[in-house]
């Protein structure tokens, strides 16, 4: 049934706008794909996110497109998000999204995942949390870590822009030491929280720190994380999507900033537990990767 | 300036503030009155057949073939539009749209008044719109337009519509179409 909610009744086909017909016909729904869907189809396919109200050039928007292109089965995926700049994109995604109270996203996602397992025992439903660093690492840290401790089978993706962007630039735990913002005028006094390491020690079977500079890499990591979360346990991705507005860059400078940080605070880090490693090898054999 | 509705300028553009609530089971609501379903169906048909640019706004629950009932309702709504000489404009999903909707061909629950203003719609049926978005859309339309709104609802109805039919499934829609045919013949439309 999941895909049927995109199937237009023939009586209404002539009054539906082309973009909705395209969503049914040209989106890369998993059941229509011979091979695993991925970033390579982006240029030709109907995308699941095309409009948003973020600042022009905000890397969060590009990153979300990469993430969506990599969902193994979008029609069976529920995305849970939290307040912040990211939540200016979520209402535009053509999938099920749940907006949770700021900070509660991993608790809400845990509940959704458990209910889906109970309600659809024969179906694989993926639950993916997507939230900012303020929501994931500051105000929601308790819920984030508790979901890792409990081994909830969900994927958590933190759009780490190192600031509370949506509320005008306050420092977060993920802000780099010394960084000054409009509403953090004396500069951050302590180090950036190494959330990807906390995720590892808190029980995540897969934890990655990276920037969104390389679309293929982002898509690969997202896919691996979601597959591992299905069978093994919680997974975490810390993705640098700089807030160009708050660090004073213009619309075309986000990519350069991410490339710089590929060698800096977001140098690629990857932890995969032995069980997850074995499972990924199996997925590869089965053509899921 | 567009013609505005009964709740314009009210800080609470909601019918409940005027003491209007959804009808009890087996009944319908016409403005502030609880009436028999047939009475409401006749009146709705009359309003739709005699108002300028009468339009049906089908929502996601009937636009998509997600179950057998939805498929049946799609056929019935198409017939309903023909009987009522009404146009159809889809509310195909609830995503806000940037930079803006095309009010000629679509309606969005976040600013449904734009479509009604643009097409000068004086009577409209909302059908297959999920309750929470019907509630939002009908309040905005009630405040911002002089359109006579009708809710054909599968659950308990909507007090913010000027006429509301509750517990409407394919069987009830068939009944409404039959009544609309009679009214149409009486009016010679
Ligand atoms: C319970 C609650 N507390 C506080 C807020 C205010 N608030 C809205 S957005 C935001 C900051 C979001 O920061 P982050 O999660 O890093 O996302 P970003 O905007 O940077 O993408 C805050 C604190 C809120 N909406 N709800
Ligand atoms: S304020 Fe920053 S994070 Fe938010 S949309 Fe603008 S650039 Fe992106
Ligand atoms: Mg942030």
């Amino acid at each position: 049934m999941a895909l049927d909610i995109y199937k237009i009744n023939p009586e209404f086909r002539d009054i539906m706008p082309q973009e909705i017909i395209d969503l049914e016909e040209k989106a890369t729904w998993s059941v229509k794909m011979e091979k695993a869907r991925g970033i390579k189809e982006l240029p030709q396919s109907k995308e699941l996110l095309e409009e948003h109200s973020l600042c022009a050039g905000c890397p969060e928007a590009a990153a979300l497109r990469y993430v969506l292109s990599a969902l193994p089965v979008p029609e069976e995926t529920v995305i849970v998000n939290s307040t912040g700049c990211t939540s200016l994109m979520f209402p535009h995604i053509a999938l099920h999204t749940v907006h949770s109270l700021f900070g509660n996203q991993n608790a809400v996602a845990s509940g959704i995942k458990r209910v889906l397992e109970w309600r659809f025992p024969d179906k694989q439903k993926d639950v993916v949390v997507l939230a900012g660093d303020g929501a994931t690492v500051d105000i929601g840290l308790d819920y984030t870590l508790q979901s890792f401790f409990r081994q909830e089978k969900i994927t958590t993706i933190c759009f780490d822009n190192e600031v509370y962007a949506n509320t005008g630039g306050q420092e977060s735990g993920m802000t780099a030491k010394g960084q000054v913002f409009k509403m953090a005028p004396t500069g951050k006094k302590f180090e950036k929280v190494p959330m990807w390491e906390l995720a590892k020690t808190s029980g995540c079977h897969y934890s990655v720190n990276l920037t969104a500079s390389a679309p293929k890499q982002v898509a690969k990591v997202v896919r691996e994380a979601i597959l591992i979360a299905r069978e093994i346990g919680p997974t975490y991705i810390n993705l640098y999507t700089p807030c160009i507005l708050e660090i004073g860059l213009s619309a075309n400078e986000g990519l350069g900033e991410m490339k710089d940080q590929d060698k800096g605070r977001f140098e690629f880090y990857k932890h995969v537990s032995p069980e997850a490693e074995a499972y990924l090898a199996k997925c590869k054999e089965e053509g899921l990767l | 300036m567009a013609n505005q509705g009964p709740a314009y300028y009210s800080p609470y553009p909601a019918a409940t503030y005027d003491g209007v609530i959804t009808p009890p089971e087996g009944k319908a609501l016409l403005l502030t009155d609880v009436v028999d379903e047939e009475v409401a169906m006749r009146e709705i048909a009359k309003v739709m057949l005699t108002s300028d640019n009468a339009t049906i706004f089908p929502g996601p629950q009937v636009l998509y073939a997600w179950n057998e009932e939805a498929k049946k309702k799609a056929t019935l709504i198409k017939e309903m539009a023909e009987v009522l000489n009404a146009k159809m404009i889809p509310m195909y999903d609830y995503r806000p749209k940037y930079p803006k909707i095309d009010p000629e061909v679509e309606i969005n629950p976040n600013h449904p008044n734009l479509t009604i203003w643009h097409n000068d719609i004086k009577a409209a049926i909302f059908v297959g719109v999920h309750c929470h978005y019907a509630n939002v859309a009908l309040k905005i339309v009630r405040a911002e337009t002089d359109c006579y709104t009708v809710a054909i609802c599968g659950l308990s109805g909507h007090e913010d519509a000027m006429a509301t039919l509750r517990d409407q499934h394919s069987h009830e829609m068939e009944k409404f179409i039959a009544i609309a045919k009679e009214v149409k013949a009486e009016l010679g439309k």
Side-chain angles (χ1 to χ4, degrees), chain A residues 141-200:
Chain A
L141 183 64
D142 185 357
Y143 304 103
T144 309
L145 292 182
Q146 296 284 352
S147 74
F148 299 164
F149 300 156
R150 292 193 308 266
Q151 294 288 294
E152 301 290 349
K153 289 185 167 167
I154 56 179
T155 296
T156 304
I157 303 175
C158 173
F159 275 33
D160 181 4
N161 56 9
E162 306 193 297
V163 63
Y164 285 76
N166 197 230
T167 39
Q170 296 82 14
E171 71 174 46
S172 85
M174 298 305 263
T175 303
K177 189 173 179 182
Q179 177 72 47
V180 170
F181 287 124
K182 289 200 290 287
M183 292 193 220
T186 59
K188 173 101 178 283
K189 298 285 189 295
F190 57 96
E191 295 291 343
K192 179 177 175 74
V193 175
M195 187 58 202
W196 48 97
E197 286 174 12
L198 289 186
K200 177 187 169 191

Side-chain angles (χ1 to χ4, degrees), chain A residues 221-234:
Chain A
V221 164
V222 167
R223 201 170 174 92
E224 289 182 349
I226 293 175
L227 291 174
I228 293 169
R230 283 182 181 177
E231 291 295 326
I232 313 291

Side-chain angles (χ1 to χ4, degrees), chain B residues 27-48:
Chain B
K27 294 282 182 180
L29 191 66
L30 273 184
L31 298 174
T32 55
D33 301 332
V34 173
V35 298
D36 285 342
E37 192 176 76
E38 286 81 356
V39 174
M41 284 180 171
R42 288 195 76 78
E43 177 65 12
I44 292 165
K46 191 175 134 211
V47 171
M48 288 293 287

Side-chain angles (χ1 to χ4, degrees), chain A residues 1 4-12 14-17 19-20 23 48-53 88 90-95, chain B residues 58 61-67 70-78 88-90 92-99 105-106:
Chain A
M1 186 201 107
D4 290 345
I5 64 167
Y6 300 92
K7 220 185 273 164
I8 301 164
N9 269 320
E11 290 82 357
F12 299 122
D14 59 333
I15 58 163
M16 288 294 240
E19 59 181 301
I20 298 300
L23 197 58
L48 302 176
L49 172 79
E50 290 182 330
E51 300 168 341
H52 62 78
S53 51
L88 300 178
F90 290 102
H92 299 276
I93 302 176
L95 296 181
Chain B
Q61 295 191 86
V62 294
L63 288 170
Y64 302 100
W66 60 287
N67 64 17
K71 291 180 199 171
K72 235 190 270 171
K73 281 183 178 168
T75 315
L76 290 169
I77 291 166
K78 178 113 191 192
M88 286 198 289
I89 296 183
Y92 49 81
D93 66 23
Y94 306 131
R95 290 178 291 165
K97 198 159 182 187
Y98 286 89
V105 293
E106 60 190 329

Side-chain angles (χ1 to χ4, degrees), chain A residues 53-55 58-60 85 88 161 165-166 241-246:
Chain A
S53 51
L54 298 184
C55 300
C58 176
E60 281 190 353
C85 283
L88 300 178
N161 56 9
N166 197 230
T241 53
C243 172
I244 49 175
L245 185 85
E246 293 299 340

